[in-house]
Each structure stands twice: as structure tokens, then as C-alpha cells.
Amino acid sequence: MAAGNVNPFNLSDSDEEAERRPSETADTERSPSDGAPGPPPGNPFSPPADAEPPSLLLSCSRTSPSGEGISVSAAATAAMAGSGETRVSVDVIAAQLLRDQYILTALEFHTELLEAGRELPRLRDYFSNPGNFERQSGTPPASKDQVLGPGGPLNRAGSISTLDSLDFARYSDDGNRESDERVAVLEFELRKAKETIQALRANLTQAAESEVPSQERKNFKSSPEIQEPIRPLEKRALNFLVNEYLLKNEYKLSSITFSDENDDQDFELWDDVGLNIPKPPDLLQLYRNCGSALPLPRDMVDVAVGVDFGELPGNYITQDPPKKPDLSQQLEYQISLLNSEKQSLAEQIKKLQRCVCVCVYVLYGGLSPAFQQALLSFCRMSSDSRLGAEVSRIADSEESVMLMLGRCLPHIVPNVLLAKREELIPLILCTACLHPEPKERDQLLHILFNLIKRPDDEQRQMILTGCVAFARHVGPTRVEAELLPQCWEQINHKYPERRLLVAESCGALAPYLPKEIRSSLVLSMLQQMLAEDKADMVREAVVKSLGIIMGYIDDPDKYSQGFELMLLSLGDPSERVVSAIHQVFIPAFAAWTTELGTLHTALIPSLLARIEKLLTQGEHGLDEHKLHMFLSALQSLIPPLFAVVLQNAPFTSRAKLHGEIPAIEVTRFPRPASPLQDVATIIGSREMLSALLLLYDHQLEHEGTTGWDSLLWVVNQLLPQLIEIVGRINVTSSTCVHEFSRFFWRFCRTFGKIFTNTKVKPQFQEILRLSEENVGNGILTKATVPIYATGVLTCYNQEEDRKLLVGFLEDVMTTLSLSHAPLDSLKASFVELGANPVYHELLLTVLWYGVVHTSALVRCTAARMFEIYLIHLFICLINFTFFLRHVLTRIKHYTIRCTVY
């Protein structure tokens, strides 16, 4: 084939054919100078007039619109004349068919190639371009002999594909062939249309199936107060408008979250909402116009898709439905508009590209872009490495910044000094929060929790602060999916500092987790760490986090699990863990049981039952450690119990905060072990507590306790049970006496002086009647005497209170001495009171009463008590000596330091 007579575009093989037959392509493009005969000049594909059309390549021939009457196969054969081995590529044949407007033959050729798995780019591009079939003008051709050009006057028919129906009747000489060709085109178009319509029908059917039944719509119309459920189409439209509003008003993070939650919808394309639905105004315009005009009522009809008339009831076809445009016609119209718009945009892009090329040619002084690039290559820049590529690519949006940080941070962190790595925490968290890829976010959070090998307190606090900020920003779902797995991975880490970070993270993240996860997975994680971790500081953090979890839990079924966790923590050998249980866990657990209404009906009775069981089992040897454990827990429940009494009092509704409210005395309540045990904190404020205390004292002193169920429970059930337990304690156990004395002292100081004088003291006095009958029953020899003396009578230190204590001790000493009863209860009272120097003078008064008593038995008892008193006095003197020496040492060090300066 002559090289000078061949159009390179028409003879260019496809990539597939070039790879398949390189030798054949070379033979085809051989020039006449090589000895290969070629076609006549002018038209390389035009055969001689007397050539017979062979049937090697194509079995059909077409009449050219120009009247040449050339056979395609003849042209192809002529191109291969002169050599029996030379073959023309399919791309050459396709080019000739398209140039001579053998459209139907080219279509059949294209279809056969597709079925054989050999798609030709030239045919694919031609039949996918609607511009090849657009009518240039609305005037039909004047005659059948009019020449048909590449953009010639072809009739358009309804088509869903880019190939429109062509009216070849006016250009054909054979009527039968005309019908066959038109049928072939229409079948091709029909197959394409059916595939698209079937997909649309499935979508429409799904929407129609979720419509509200007609009877329900009638109910909604008849009852306007009942809102009709949202339909899928309405939901998608509203979702699109909401997302559009968020983007327009710079709520980009909210828009990202909203898009993630509706991942089945494309928010960049309105057509994804539905077909043939015009886009409404934005939300702002709808809001402004919502009251301008009311929509007119419209008739509602039921819609079904893909239903035969035989499936419908008789009353559905009583009248002919109104004629509406066919769905395929509507789709064809819409596709034609889109194709026109696509062609227009393509032309605009080409124009802009040409303008850019011109501008570049003029900013660079006439240099071509290739020359310019080659010239700049002499600059010493490194873009081949990973870092060079990152440096040369400047981020142009928020998302690209996040992507860049996600790629760079894993390489930056290992090269930062350990002592300064906390400086990377804000950068890591910000990137993990905004990065669009879940895998990259997981990697960044993994880096965060492994940033420092053994983080100290300050570094852990910084990481926790960042985790809380991350959780507050992304919401419970991502906290559960992204942060919680990082904690779970390090629950058994070899370094206690890392396990401590996990324990603290569970508590810090508790408010931002889903409630189901909070009361299941997180609770189980902490319970496992409490039972298995060997580090005291880790178990201490676990107890505090458990307290926080209890403050946010709302599942009543978790009460028994919480109670067992409390007992397990109380029995911990570490003082740090026990202190944490009293400071955090018990107050939080008590607050939750208060909400459940089980503080005084379940929690306190359960502890009392365990104390009683312990006393019953310990007749021959009491487990004082367990008694201390249960009694200390009961003591920590006194403030929340008093808060329940105040909050359920008859006067609670009368509490007012306006006006002058007196301040609460500093010594009104015992010093709380933590802010969570402060009654003012439990109530809400010191002002509210002060107002309630005024009404509380007035109610007790003047109006009584009628209808006050919570206080009646304390007076009629709790106090008698406690006094009965006290009577069963061995008086020689100084530890037990001391523990119960402290409990009653805090109990009386919390509930107030009026309550103590009118409710507590009378019940003790009823039992401790100073008579020979009680001495015979052994009541005065039990621990009731020292506990009443040191726990109840010493809780207030005014003159009348001191006189009452002195009189009680004198009567006990006299009664026990004259009855020849054991003096253990009196000794226990002196031991407990003698430990506090405040009561030394009071004890001397009691002893002097015994020394000058007329009975020798009483004087002998006083002498024995003097021995105890002197021992405690000596101990106090020793303690005072050590204290004085410590003070003098500090003064000496301070003097030396001042002299040096």
C-alpha cells in the first residue's frame, strides 16, 4: 500500500490489533518501492471496474450514497491484491465503512466484534457519540438521491442509546432489505432501552412498594393530628436539601457525618433522588416562602409498576386512564438534553484548553511547553522520593491537607524525641478526626496510643484530653468503632503505664459512648482489669472509671454486678484502691441507686445483712477486716441517705432560693472524704441545701415526721437494727468499738442535733436503763456503752452535751462497781475518749467523782481508770514530744536556709 496515498488516521490500527499482528501491519504499510503492487492513485480502496467482489471478509455489500456501487469486500480485497499473505486490519475496514457511510454494515461489524470479544475503539467511539447522528437542520432531504454526509440529514427516532433510528427507506433501492435493516437497528435500540427501563422500573417498583396504602392515607387525611410517614422519595429529597444547606453554610464536618450516615445516596447529583423530578429551591428559600401560599389539594392515586391488567380488581379499570407521555419518550427527551449539554461542555473545554495553550506560549516568551519542561529539569529538585513528592504537591483543600498529614505523620513520629512527642498529639487527633479514610484513621489512633512507651501523668492527661475532644467531635458511633478498639488492644500490655492509660480512657470516654456499650463491653473490660491486673495504680484507675460508668449507666439489671464490684474493690489489699472506692465508686453507685429508688430498700439493707452474718459466724473469732470493710461502706452511704431524706421531705416543694438564706456553719457536717460525698454537691448547691436545712430543723422540732417515709425508715428500721448489731459486738475488740463509734458520730453529725436529741438518744437510753436488771442482762457490759458514750454523746461539744457525757460515765462507773460487774465497757469508753486530748479534762472530772465517792468499790474502780488515763496521758506526752522535736527541726532548717541566702 502506498504510504503517500494513505491517511494515517484511517489506517491506524487499534492497540489490540497492533499487538496481535505486528508483522501483518508491517506488510500492509509496505511502500511501492519495495515491489508490492498497490491500489490505483486517488482512492486506495477503489478497485478496478471489472473486479469481482470476493467474499473473504464481509458477506454483505452496500450501495454508496454517492452512487459508486462499490463492494466493501471488493475494496478490502483490492487492498490486499498483489500478495496472497497480506491482510487488512479490522480498523482499516471500519474506517472505510464509516467514511463511505455504510452505517448499518459498520453497526453489524461492531456487534460481531463485541460478541467475539474484540471491541474496536474506532467503532465504539463513533457509535457512542450522539453528535454523529444529530440532524443539522429540520428540513428533510429533497430527494432520495441527495448525498448523505457524515453529519447528513438522518431521521431521529425514539432511542435510549446514542445511536438513533435512521430512516433509510428514502435512500434504499431494495424494499425488503430496507425493512430488514430498519428492524436490525430497532432491535438494537430496543435491547438497550429495555435494559435501562428495566433498571429504572426496579427502582420505581421499590419506591412504589414503600408507599403508604390508600386506606392509611385516608386515615391520615381524616386525622390531621397523625403525621403521615415519610416516603423514600421524600426522604432522599430532604436529605439532598439538608446536605446542600450544610455545605452552603460551612457546616462541612456535619455534612461529612450526614453523608456517612446516608451512604446509599449520592449528594452531588440531584438526579440520584428520582427521575423527572425538578429540583426544589434550597431550604432557606422554602422557609421564606412557607407561609406565602398554601399548596392546592391534589388527588392521590395508587401507583404500581410491572403489574398486568389481569392482576387488578375489576373496579380499577372502570374507565380509561388519561393519556400520559410514555416513560421511554420522557427518558429519551431527557437523554437528548443531557447529550446536548455534554457536547456543549466538551466544546467549551476545548476552547479553554486552546486559550491556556496560547497563554502559556505568551508568559514563557514563545517557548513550547515541552521545551519549558526540559529547561526546568536542570533545576535541582527531588520529586522522585516519597518526601519529595509530598513537598512538591501543595494541598489545595481541607481534605487534601488531611490526606497529606495522614501520609506524613507515620513517618514523622518515629523521628521525634520521646520527651517531646506529646507535641504531636493535636496534629494526630485533628488528622484522625477529619481524615476521610477509615484505615488511615485507625492507623493514626494506633500511633496516638503507642506514641510514648511509658507515658507519665502529664502525658497521659494530654492524651486523654485529646481523646475526649475527639469523642466530643465525632460522636458515639465513631468512638465505639475507632477509639474503643485501641483500648481493647492494650488491656494486657506489659507496661503498667499503658494499661493505666486504658483504664483512664474508659472512664474519660464513658459520657461519649453508646449506652449499650457503656454497660456491657466497657464494664466487662474494667471488671477484668480489676480482677486480674497486679499494679495498684491500674486497679485504682479502674475503680475510678467504674464509678464514672456507674454515673452514666441506666440499666437496672446491672445493679447486682455493680454491688459485686463494690465488694470486690473494698476487699482489695491496696489502700489506694480502697480510698478510690470510697471517694468515687460508692458515691456514684449510691447516686444511681437513688435514681432507681433502691438506696434504702436494697443497698443499705444488703450491707447490714452482711454485717449481721459476719457477727453470727464470728462468735469464736470475728473477722475484723471484713467488718471494717462493710461498716466503712455503710459510713460512705450516710451523705446520700441524708440527701434522700431531704429530697423526699414534705417541705421540699416549699424550698425557695430568693431572699436572704443564712450560710451553713462550717462544722455542720463532717468533712467529706471527697467532693462526691459533700451533701451540698449531692443536693445541687449550698444555697438549696441551706434552704432545705432550715425547713428540716423546723419540721423536726415543730411539725413531726408524719408522712415522711424516708425519715421514718431511718428512725423505725435503720436505727433499731444498728443498735441491735452494736449490742452483739465484743466490747474487748477496740477496733470494732472504734469503727462503730466513728459511724455513729458521722451519722449524728450529718442528720443534725435536733434529730440526735429527739430520735437517736432516746432509743439508746431506752436500752441502757441504768438499773440492776440491765446489769444482770449484761447490756451495760456490752459495746453499747462505749459506742453510745463516744459516738453519740461526743458528736456535739457544748456545755450541756459535756455535762450529759460526764453524768453518763459517772452513773456507769457507779452501777458497775456496786453490781460487781465487769468493767470492760467502762474501760473501752476511757480508752476511746483518752485517745483525744480534748476529753482529758472531762475524764479527770469523772475520776475525781470516783475518788471522793463514799463507796470503796467505786473508789477502787476510779483507781483502775486512773491507770488507763495515765497511760493515755503518757502516750499523748510522747506524741507531743515527737511533734515538738519535728517543729524545732523544721525551724532550724529554715534558719540555716535564711542564713545562706
Side-chain angles (χ1 to χ4, degrees):
M1 183 179 296
N5 297 331
V6 178
N7 187 339
F9 176 78
N10 290 336
L11 289 180
S12 61
D13 292 341
S14 64
D15 295 338
E16 180 182 356
E17 293 295 329
E19 294 176 1
R20 186 174 300 167
R21 289 189 298 272
S23 59
E24 295 174 6
T25 305
D27 293 338
T28 304
E29 295 178 354
R30 187 177 301 159
S31 63
S33 62
D34 296 333
N43 186 355
F45 294 96
S46 300
D50 56 351
E52 294 183 3
S55 57
L56 295 177
L57 299 178
L58 293 174
S59 60
C60 58
S61 60
R62 295 290 179 264
T63 302
S64 172
S66 59
E68 296 178 358
I70 300 176
S71 169
V72 178
S73 57
T77 305
M80 294 187 296
S83 175
E85 299 178 355
T86 304
R87 297 182 62 187
V88 178
S89 66
V90 292
D91 191 67
V92 173
I93 299 172
Q96 182 64 21
L97 292 175
L98 295 178
R99 188 177 68 83
D100 290 339
Q101 284 296 299
Y102 298 123
I103 303 300
L104 293 179
T105 305
L107 176 61
E108 294 179 7
F109 191 36
H110 178 51
T111 305
E112 291 179 357
L113 289 176
L114 285 178
E115 293 175 353
R118 298 171 57 192
E119 183 180 27
L120 194 61
R122 181 187 302 278
L123 294 177
R124 178 195 62 201
D125 296 341
Y126 183 84
F127 289 116
S128 63
N129 185 3
N132 294 327
F133 312 105
E134 293 290 343
R135 186 187 300 277
Q136 299 299 325
S137 64
T139 307
S143 65
K144 297 181 180 179
D145 297 329
Q146 182 177 349
V147 178
L148 190 66
L154 302 179
N155 288 345
R156 286 185 61 89
S159 175
I160 198 64
S161 177
T162 55
L163 178 63
D164 295 334
S165 298
L166 306 178
D167 187 3
F168 284 94
R170 66 185 71 183
Y171 313 118
S172 176
D173 297 331
D174 190 344
N176 295 331
R177 186 184 303 133
E178 162 208 338
S179 301
D180 294 341
E181 293 166 351
R182 182 164 180 79
V183 168
V185 174
L186 291 177
E187 287 178 351
F188 179 84
E189 296 178 358
L190 183 61
R191 184 170 65 252
K192 289 278 188 176
K194 283 183 176 180
E195 292 174 357
T196 304
I197 293 174
Q198 187 65 25
L200 296 174
R201 176 175 292 175
N203 189 14
L204 188 58
T205 302
Q206 182 180 3
E209 287 176 351
S210 58
E211 288 287 347
V212 181
S214 58
Q215 183 60 36
E216 292 187 17
R217 284 199 297 270
K218 295 177 181 178
N219 295 336
F220 293 137
K221 291 181 179 179
S222 60
S223 302
E225 67 275 5
I226 304 177
Q227 186 176 4
E228 182 178 354
I230 189 170
R231 304 174 185 174
L233 181 62
E234 295 172 342
K235 180 180 179 182
R236 297 174 71 84
L238 289 175
N239 287 348
F240 186 91
L241 294 178
V242 170
N243 185 73
E244 183 184 47
Y245 169 78
L246 294 175
L247 288 176
K248 286 183 178 180
N249 292 274
E250 299 298 328
Y251 297 112
K252 296 183 178 179
L253 297 179
S254 300
S255 174
I256 293 174
T257 304
F258 188 72
S259 300
D260 292 340
E261 292 176 347
N262 298 275
D263 54 356
D264 60 339
Q265 184 172 351
D266 184 4
F267 287 104
E268 296 182 359
L269 186 63
W270 168 256
D271 289 340
D272 184 67
V273 174
L275 297 173
N276 299 331
I277 300 174
K279 182 179 177 300
D282 56 17
L283 286 181
L284 179 61
Q285 194 66 27
L286 289 174
Y287 173 75
R288 290 174 175 172
N289 298 336
C290 64
S292 59
L294 294 176
L296 296 177
R298 298 179 179 178
D299 294 335
M300 303 289 291
V301 296
D302 292 334
V303 178
V305 179
V307 179
D308 295 332
F309 283 102
E311 300 177 2
L312 297 176
N315 56 354
Y316 274 80
I317 52 176
T318 55
Q319 58 182 5
D320 294 335
K323 294 184 179 179
K324 295 182 179 179
D326 187 20
L327 178 61
S328 61
Q329 295 178 0
Q330 298 176 8
L331 295 177
E332 290 170 6
Y333 175 71
Q334 198 170 24
I335 290 174
S336 64
L337 293 179
L338 292 175
N339 289 332
S340 301
E341 183 180 2
K342 176 183 175 182
Q343 189 173 5
S344 174
L345 292 175
E347 293 176 357
Q348 294 181 16
I349 291 173
K350 291 180 180 179
K351 291 180 181 179
L352 290 175
Q353 289 176 345
R354 287 194 295 269
C355 294
V356 169
C357 292
V358 172
C359 293
V360 170
Y361 185 77
V362 177
L363 291 174
Y364 294 111
L367 299 180
S368 66
F371 186 86
Q372 178 72 21
Q373 184 176 2
L375 184 63
L376 293 177
S377 65
F378 287 93
C379 298
R380 296 184 60 84
M381 296 184 296
S382 174
S383 59
D384 298 334
S385 63
R386 178 196 61 81
L387 184 59
E390 295 291 351
V391 172
S392 62
R393 180 169 50 191
I394 300 298
D396 57 356
S397 65
E398 293 181 1
E399 182 177 359
S400 57
V401 171
M402 293 299 107
L403 294 174
M404 181 269 293
L405 290 174
R407 293 189 300 266
C408 294
L409 280 174
H411 302 278
I412 296 174
V413 171
N415 299 309
V416 178
L417 294 176
L418 289 175
K420 294 296 182 181
R421 285 190 178 178
E422 64 267 20
E423 299 292 336
L424 293 171
I425 294 176
L427 202 59
I428 295 174
L429 281 169
C430 182
T431 308
C433 184
L434 301 177
H435 202 285
E437 297 295 333
K439 185 177 180 181
E440 295 295 329
R441 296 200 300 263
D442 180 75
Q443 181 183 6
L444 290 169
L445 292 176
H446 181 76
I447 291 174
L448 174 67
F449 274 80
N450 295 273
L451 189 64
I452 304 169
K453 181 185 290 185
R454 308 183 75 164
D456 55 23
D457 289 343
E458 184 177 355
Q459 291 169 335
R460 286 197 311 274
Q461 291 177 9
M462 198 63 60
I463 295 175
L464 289 177
T465 303
C467 290
V468 171
F470 178 90
R472 189 184 298 118
H473 185 81
V474 303
T477 303
R478 282 184 59 183
V479 174
E480 175 191 353
E482 299 177 13
L483 268 184
L484 209 55
Q486 304 298 333
C487 297
W488 182 260
E489 289 179 1
Q490 307 207 22
I491 193 173
N492 294 316
H493 200 278
K494 64 178 181 178
Y495 292 128
E497 292 84 358
R498 299 280 278 275
R499 303 196 303 272
L500 180 60
L501 177 62
V502 173
E504 292 173 339
S505 298
C506 290
L509 297 175
Y512 309 99
L513 287 168
K515 60 181 181 179
E516 300 83 4
I517 297 298
R518 202 161 45 216
S519 58
S520 58
L521 177 60
V522 179
L523 193 61
S524 300
M525 289 172 57
L526 294 174
Q527 185 174 6
Q528 176 184 343
M529 297 181 72
L530 180 63
E532 299 177 359
D533 205 291
K534 297 180 180 179
D536 293 351
M537 62 178 181
V538 176
R539 297 198 308 275
E540 178 188 10
V542 167
V543 168
K544 293 180 179 179
S545 295
L546 281 172
I548 298 174
I549 293 292
M550 288 300 162
Y552 288 92
I553 204 168
D554 56 358
D555 185 3
D557 296 335
K558 297 296 179 180
Y559 167 79
S560 58
Q561 186 177 2
F563 186 77
E564 293 300 326
L565 287 173
M566 182 184 72
L567 296 181
L568 179 63
S569 304
L570 286 171
D572 196 277
S574 173
E575 288 295 330
R576 297 176 61 174
V577 177
V578 175
S579 176
I581 195 72
H582 289 290
Q583 292 178 1
V584 183
F585 184 88
I586 292 181
F589 190 56
W592 181 46
T593 56
T594 300
E595 293 180 4
L596 298 177
T598 58
L599 175 64
H600 61 285
T601 60
L603 181 55
I604 294 177
S606 298
L607 289 174
L608 291 175
R610 278 168 169 74
I611 293 175
E612 290 181 335
K613 182 179 179 181
L614 193 64
L615 293 176
T616 303
Q617 296 174 348
E619 293 179 353
H620 303 288
L622 180 64
D623 190 343
E624 295 183 353
H625 174 70
K626 284 190 175 180
L627 180 65
H628 165 74
M629 182 177 74
F630 296 142
L631 197 60
S632 63
L634 200 62
Q635 181 174 301
S636 296
L637 294 176
I638 294 175
L641 178 61
F642 182 64
V644 169
V645 170
L646 291 180
Q647 291 169 340
N648 294 276
F651 53 78
T652 303
S653 59
R654 304 200 305 268
K656 305 296 182 182
L657 294 180
H658 55 78
E660 294 185 3
I661 300 177
I664 303 174
E665 296 180 4
V666 179
T667 59
R668 171 62 181 82
F669 294 100
R671 179 175 297 177
S674 75
L676 297 178
Q677 290 190 3
D678 190 351
V679 181
T681 303
I682 300 173
I683 293 294
S685 66
R686 298 194 68 83
E687 292 77 12
M688 176 59 73
L689 178 60
S690 178
L692 290 174
L693 286 177
L694 290 176
L695 298 172
Y696 170 77
D697 292 337
H698 182 270
Q699 183 82 17
L700 286 177
E701 191 172 7
H702 301 287
E703 300 182 16
T705 59
T706 303
W708 199 347
D709 295 337
S710 55
L711 186 67
L712 290 174
W713 178 85
V714 174
V715 174
N716 298 331
Q717 297 187 40
L718 178 61
L719 269 177
Q721 190 174 3
L722 287 171
I723 295 173
E724 192 272 335
I725 291 175
V726 166
R728 298 168 57 186
I729 295 177
N730 188 355
V731 71
T732 58
S733 176
S734 59
T735 302
C736 294
V737 172
H738 177 71
E739 291 292 336
F740 273 96
S741 296
R742 285 181 54 194
F743 173 82
F744 274 98
W745 187 87
R746 298 186 73 89
F747 179 82
C748 294
R749 287 301 299 261
T750 301
F751 277 81
K753 187 172 184 179
I754 298 177
F755 180 86
T756 302
N757 291 336
T758 60
K759 306 298 179 185
V760 180
K761 290 180 180 179
Q763 294 197 32
F764 271 99
Q765 291 168 359
E766 181 67 22
I767 296 176
L768 294 172
R769 288 179 181 174
L770 298 178
S771 62
E772 294 183 0
E773 180 183 356
N774 285 338
V775 174
N777 292 334
I779 297 298
L780 291 180
T781 60
K782 299 293 183 181
T784 309
V785 171
I787 291 174
Y788 174 63
T790 60
V792 178
L793 297 181
T794 62
C795 61
Y796 295 99
N797 200 26
Q798 296 181 359
E799 186 63 27
E800 60 270 18
D801 301 311
R802 298 174 68 89
K803 288 182 179 180
L804 184 61
L805 176 59
V806 169
F808 174 74
L809 292 176
E810 290 175 350
D811 292 342
V812 169
M813 184 170 60
T814 302
T815 304
L816 292 177
S817 300
L818 296 178
S819 302
H820 299 279
L823 301 176
D824 294 332
S825 60
L826 186 62
K827 289 180 180 179
S829 301
F830 269 75
V831 169
E832 191 70 21
L833 290 172
N836 191 345
V838 174
Y839 297 106
H840 286 181
E841 183 179 355
L842 184 145
L843 292 177
L844 277 177
T845 303
V846 175
L847 292 174
W848 183 249
Y849 165 80
V851 169
V852 300
H853 199 277
T854 57
S855 173
L857 294 174
V858 176
R859 292 197 299 271
C860 289
T861 301
R864 294 178 182 177
M865 295 301 109
F866 254 117
E867 180 181 357
I868 298 173
Y869 172 77
L870 290 176
I871 291 174
H872 280 284
L873 183 62
F874 181 71
I875 293 173
C876 290
L877 289 175
I878 293 176
N879 292 336
F880 178 74
T881 302
F882 279 108
F883 172 74
L884 187 62
R885 180 180 298 176
H886 177 71
V887 172
L888 291 176
T889 303
R890 290 183 65 87
I891 292 174
K892 180 179 179 180
H893 289 168
Y894 179 74
T895 304
I896 294 174
R897 187 177 301 172
C898 292
T899 303
V900 172
Y901 284 134

